């Protein structure tokens, strides 16, 4: 992951997230919806 950005809001299992992380190996962004952390962010990943 190289950076994170805001995107469309996604909700599931009581979580609501609009953050995405850019993953160069995948050529796109992945949602932060699966992160079970109050900050809802991957540690050490800055803004795009």
């Amino acid at each position: 992951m190289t950076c994170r950005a805001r995107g469309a809001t996604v909700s599931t299992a009581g979580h609501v997230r609009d953050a995405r992380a850019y993953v160069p190996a995948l050529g796109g962004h992945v949602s932060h919806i699966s992160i079970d952390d109050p900050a809802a962010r991957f540690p050490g990943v800055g803004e795009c």
Side-chain angles (χ1 to χ4, degrees):
M1 284 174 231
T2 59
C3 63
R4 66 175 180 253
R6 300 274 180 215
T9 300
V10 178
S11 63
T12 186
H15 298 285
V16 178
R17 307 279 189 263
D18 67 351
R20 312 254 184 275
Y22 183 73
V23 182
L26 298 176
H29 290 82
V30 295
S31 174
H32 285 213
I33 194 68
S34 62
I35 302 172
D36 190 17
D37 181 277
R41 300 185 189 282
F42 289 109
V45 179
E47 297 291 326
C48 292

